[in-house]
């Protein structure tokens, strides 16, 4: 999926515009630091919001944790407001349409990470489910920290949702990009 670019900010309204999200479909939104306490809090909230859909609720919970951990650990913007050092900052929208739940996450990343992420997402989206499982195994066997390693969370998100990852990269300056990711989960 290709979506239009937006200005070089991480505003929630601009994320909603990129992915054509109706304001009435948004269940939760947040912009700021993502530390483990916040991830836990949003996880509890997601479980309550999806009580009527336990199977898709589990998928939603798992995907939430993966995406928020990515922001917390890998954001190029570290929060000065969080009491936990090194906590990444970003934005999140969670919503529900008639037959789908969706997530939109966004955060600043460095140019080198953008290049690797874009390549990884293209690989993930090009693979069939069986091949994606093999790719996950290959990635797990790489030396930690090696170039191109990891992104297991993105692979797991694709396997869990059984949908392509819709990513958008907007150049902020010569060193940074704003990365956003849209993920859908069928309501079961």
């Amino acid at each position: 999926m290709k979506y239009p670019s937006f200005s070089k900010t991480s505003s929630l309204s601009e994320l909603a515009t990129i992915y054509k999200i109706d304001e009435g479909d948004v269940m939760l939104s947040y912009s700021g630091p993502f530390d483990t306490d916040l991830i836990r809090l949003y996880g509890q909230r997601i479980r309550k919001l999806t009580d009527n859909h336990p199977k898709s609720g589990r998928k939603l919970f798992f995907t939430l944790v993966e995406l928020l951990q990515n922001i917390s650990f890998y954001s190029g913007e570290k929060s000065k407001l969080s009491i936990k050092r090194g906590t990444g900052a970003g934005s999140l929208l969670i919503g529900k349409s008639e037959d789908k739940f969706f997530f939109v996450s966004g955060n600043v990343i460095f140019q080198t990470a953008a290049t690797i992420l874009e390549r990884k997402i293209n690989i993930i989206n090009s693979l069939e489910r069986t091949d994606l499982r093999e790719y996950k195994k290959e990635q797990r066997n790489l030396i930690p920290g090696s170039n191109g390693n990891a992104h297991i969370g993105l692979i797991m998100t694709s396997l869990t949702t059984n949908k392509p990852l819709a990513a958008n990269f907007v150049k902020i300056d010569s060193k940074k990009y704003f990365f956003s990711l849209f993920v859908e989960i069928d309501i079961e």
Side-chain angles (χ1 to χ4, degrees):
M1 286 183 191
K2 202 72 166 161
Y3 293 93
S5 296
F6 63 106
S7 68
K8 299 164 185 153
T9 69
S10 60
S11 92
L12 293 167
S13 64
E14 290 183 74
L15 284 174
T17 299
I18 291 171
Y19 296 102
K20 299 179 174 99
I21 296 169
D22 186 301
E23 190 177 301
D25 292 341
V26 176
M27 298 183 328
L28 294 170
S29 65
Y30 175 79
S31 189
F34 284 91
D35 62 27
T36 52
D37 294 334
L38 184 73
I39 294 170
R40 192 174 309 113
L41 179 70
Y42 271 106
Q44 291 169 352
R45 184 71 180 134
I46 286 298
R47 284 192 170 142
K48 287 183 182 179
L49 289 171
T50 60
D51 276 346
N52 295 335
H53 309 284
K55 188 173 181 180
S56 46
R58 282 188 299 277
K59 290 179 181 182
L60 196 66
F61 176 77
F62 175 81
T63 304
L64 172 78
V65 170
E66 291 294 338
L67 296 180
L68 296 188
Q69 283 179 338
N70 283 343
I71 292 173
S72 181
F73 299 144
Y74 303 115
S75 178
E77 259 181 338
K78 299 300 178 189
S79 173
K80 293 180 174 94
L81 300 175
S82 176
I83 58 172
K84 297 180 180 174
R85 291 179 50 106
T87 298
S91 298
L92 172 74
L93 291 172
I94 302 171
K96 180 182 174 193
S97 63
E98 285 184 31
D99 60 346
K100 295 181 186 344
F101 288 110
F102 61 84
F103 284 100
V104 181
S105 64
N107 59 284
V108 173
I109 58 174
F110 292 103
Q111 189 274 328
T112 53
T115 303
I116 293 168
L117 261 176
E118 188 168 25
R119 182 175 54 82
K120 288 285 189 164
I121 290 170
N122 287 336
I123 291 169
I124 290 167
N125 286 342
S126 73
L127 296 173
E128 296 295 326
R129 192 165 180 80
T130 306
D131 296 329
L132 193 54
R133 289 177 194 266
E134 285 301 313
Y135 183 60
K136 180 182 79 171
K137 288 177 189 173
E138 289 171 23
Q139 295 302 295
R140 283 207 167 130
N141 291 329
L142 292 175
I143 298 167
S146 67
N147 190 14
N149 186 12
H151 302 101
I152 300 293
L154 293 175
I155 298 168
M156 291 302 298
T157 297
S158 183
L159 285 168
T160 300
T161 63
N162 204 26
K163 302 242 184 233
L165 306 173
N168 194 20
F169 297 85
V170 176
K171 189 173 187 172
I172 296 171
D173 58 34
S174 63
K175 295 180 182 176
K176 292 182 180 176
Y177 281 75
F178 186 77
F179 166 64
S180 62
L181 187 67
F182 178 87
V183 178
E184 290 181 321
I185 297 170
D186 292 329
I187 295 176
E188 300 177 51

